Structures are given as C-alpha cells and as structure tokens.
Amino acid sequence: MNGHGYTLIHLTDTHLRHPGELLFGALDTWARTAEALRAAARYRPDAVVVTGDIADCGRDIYAGAAGLFARAGRELGCPVIVLPGNHDVPGTRAWTAEEFTGSRTDTGPGPGDDVHFVGGLRLITLDSDDPGQPAGRLTGEQLHWLDTVLAEPAPDGTVLALHHPPVDSLLPQLAGRGLARPAELAGVLAGTDVRAVLCGHYHHAVSGRLGAVPVWAGPAVSYGQDLLAPPGTVQGVDSSWLSVIRLGEGSFSAVPVPLQPAGAVVFSRNAVHPQTTAHPGAVPAAGTIRSDRPLPEPIRAPGHPYRQQPLLPVAEGEPVAAP
C-alpha cells in the first residue's frame, strides 16, 4: 500500500450537449465540466473517475469530451477514467477512441468494461445500462468477467465504478432506477479486495453499503435533484458538484464539494493546529493563535510523482476549457 493512500476525484452526470447548447435552456454543462476539472487540481488526484452520462440524450459529443478529458489528464498528470451511463452511446467510434481508453490494462465483454491501474490500486469500470429499462443491469457475462478479474487481488485493492447505484435513492420518485438485482453484484464482491463502489445517476449524494463494501453515489456536475420536491415530482436544481475520494490503510472517505458558492460567508479566520494550544485538550479562542506549521501535502501514488500544479487553466500548454 502506498503509505499515504490515494486521492480520486469522482465526477458524474456531466450531460454534455452540442457546444453552445444549454441544458434545459439554462445550464452550460461544458463550462461546468471544465470548472470541475480545474477544481480537481487543488486536491492533487491520482486519478479522475467519471461515472457516466457524459452526453445528454445520446448526443454525439464524444470526440469533444475525449479531447477535454485528455487535456485535463495532461494538466493534472493523472489518468481520467470514463465509463458510460444510460444517456450515453458507448458503441460509437468516438467512445472507443484512445482518449477514453488509453490507461486501461484489460477489457471486458463490452465498451465501458475495463481495468485500469493507478500505482497498486486497480479501478474496474462496468457499463450498467440496460437499454429501454429504467433500472441498470449487469449481465451474467459481465459478472463472470468481474469474478475472474477479482480472483487475483491487486497490491492496493480495487475500486469498482459503474453508473447505476446498487443502493436506493432517498426520493421515492426514483424508486426502481438504481441497479437491478444488486445481490448478484454483492455475491461477486464478497471476500474480494474491492474497497469501494463509485456510482452516479441519481444527481444527489448517497452513501451505503453493498455487503461489506462502501458505496458512494456522487452528486452530479450538471444539476442536482431537489430532495424536497413535492411527491410525484422530479425537480432539478441549479447545482454542480465533484466528490473527493480518499483511500488510506483500511479507510475510505467521500466528500462532496460544491462548485458554486453555497451562500454568504458568515466567518473567516485562520486555522489553528491542535498542537499549538496552551495545554493538551485545550480549545483555543477563535483567532487568538496562529499555526506556523504548514498543512501536510498528500503524496501521489507510486509511479506518479507530484509536480507543482497551478489551478487550471494554465498559461503554458493546453488549458482545460469548454470547446
């Protein structure tokens, strides 16, 4: 295990339309996706994982999306790993372009079923779409392939990524729209080195467990679900998010990060390091003590030495920007 663990940036549900075309006539999803990739730089990720619905309504935007993700990968110095969702058309030539699959080390039954390695951490992606059906589905062929891959543990364990969550949404309006027959997947994962399952699809954050494995369904880059919508109503809200995933020795955490201001700042003060307090256990008064110790910087995975990265875009090289 890399002694300092791994940091993944999890993006989902970008819902990209043709450049210049706004989602719902109001949301520039290209700009939101570019902003999410720029914001990822501050967390110095070992990989970016994008869990589907890259396009909105199967629109042919994949060549542009592949270029955007490839530029981000070069600027961030890490792979951007992409898988399809129910709004995508994974069989298109653009989807299988080298930009979407360049870091994979093995392939499965169909487009989107891939294995990637980041240092000693293995990331497996699965296409969970069941065309024409509200719920996602993994075929017997996919489950058998996954079982075969997981038979050999990875040095630092495995993260599984798919679009449809194997846990329920908080909203009854979304009932039956997650992964169908999640127990089948749970049976494959039982006793393996899988440390977490990352998903999207619901457009709101959900945490849960599939057997003993933590599940994180991240909030969307494009827009959010209104969790207080009237019964029987599905209502989108203007919000944009990324998730920061951290994997340590025996630990997993997922933090949703809003990409838009949440409201007015009600306080701002210098952080205080616990060891600068007058005596053990003392709580310092706000603003009375300043720490002279810098915050520790996370160390990148083996094979991915950290280099100082500005927030994107940068003056040199290709900036991450909407087409």
Side-chain angles (χ1 to χ4, degrees):
M1 161 66 69
N2 168 22
H4 294 266
Y6 294 88
T7 297
L8 308 177
I9 294 299
H10 177 208
L11 309 180
T12 193
D13 296 272
T14 56
H15 285 266
L16 300 173
R17 297 174 72 88
H18 291 304
E21 189 175 311
L22 301 179
L23 182 65
F24 307 124
L27 306 178
D28 186 341
T29 52
W30 284 97
R32 291 187 172 203
T33 303
E35 174 60 24
L37 292 166
R38 284 193 294 269
R42 76 172 56 230
Y43 301 104
R44 300 165 183 166
D46 296 298
V48 176
V49 183
V50 190
T51 54
D53 280 5
I54 311 305
D56 184 63
C57 300
R59 292 170 180 268
D60 188 13
I61 52 78
Y62 297 110
L68 177 64
F69 294 144
R71 290 195 298 274
R74 290 193 293 271
E75 297 290 353
L76 292 168
C78 71
V80 178
I81 297 168
V82 183
L83 62 98
N86 58 293
H87 280 254
D88 290 311
V89 187
T92 63
R93 181 177 179 183
W95 180 270
T96 56
E98 184 66 20
E99 288 87 348
F100 274 167
T101 60
S103 66
R104 71 184 179 188
T105 59
D106 191 16
T107 60
D113 302 331
D114 296 307
V115 178
H116 305 257
F117 271 88
V118 178
L121 181 68
R122 178 170 57 190
L123 292 105
I124 301 177
T125 66
L126 291 171
D127 178 6
S128 59
D129 184 35
D130 188 7
Q133 300 300 315
R137 177 174 177 261
L138 296 175
T139 66
E141 187 179 12
Q142 286 176 299
L143 291 168
H144 175 72
W145 173 74
L146 178 63
D147 187 48
T148 301
V149 173
L150 293 175
E152 182 177 348
D156 292 337
T158 298
V159 171
L160 180 65
L162 64 158
H163 184 63
H164 294 81
V167 295
D168 290 331
S169 168
L170 180 66
L171 288 170
Q173 297 93 311
L174 298 182
R177 295 184 177 273
L179 183 70
R181 302 196 299 273
E184 294 180 348
L185 178 59
V188 173
L189 301 189
T192 69
D193 69 345
V194 173
R195 303 180 60 186
V197 178
L198 304 182
C199 321
H201 189 53
Y202 288 152
H203 288 246
H204 68 79
V206 182
S207 66
R209 300 187 82 85
L210 186 64
V213 180
V215 174
W216 174 253
V221 172
S222 55
Y223 68 93
Q225 286 283 358
D226 184 356
L227 296 176
L228 297 175
T233 302
V234 177
Q235 192 163 277
V237 295
D238 183 359
S239 67
S240 184
W241 300 77
L242 60 78
S243 299
V244 180
I245 309 298
R246 290 209 163 119
L247 297 152
E249 186 72 44
S251 67
F252 165 83
S253 68
V255 180
V257 178
L259 293 168
Q260 299 169 309
V265 175
V266 295
F267 75 91
S268 179
R269 58 177 176 248
N270 293 322
V272 178
H273 195 284
Q275 295 182 3
T276 64
T277 56
H279 60 274
V283 178
T288 59
I289 302 175
R290 289 190 182 185
S291 171
D292 58 0
R293 301 190 182 202
L295 294 175
E297 294 186 351
I299 305 299
R300 294 179 62 80
H304 295 277
Y306 173 67
R307 56 185 173 81
Q308 184 64 37
Q309 298 173 21
L311 292 182
L312 305 181
V314 296
E316 299 178 2
E318 292 183 87
V320 173

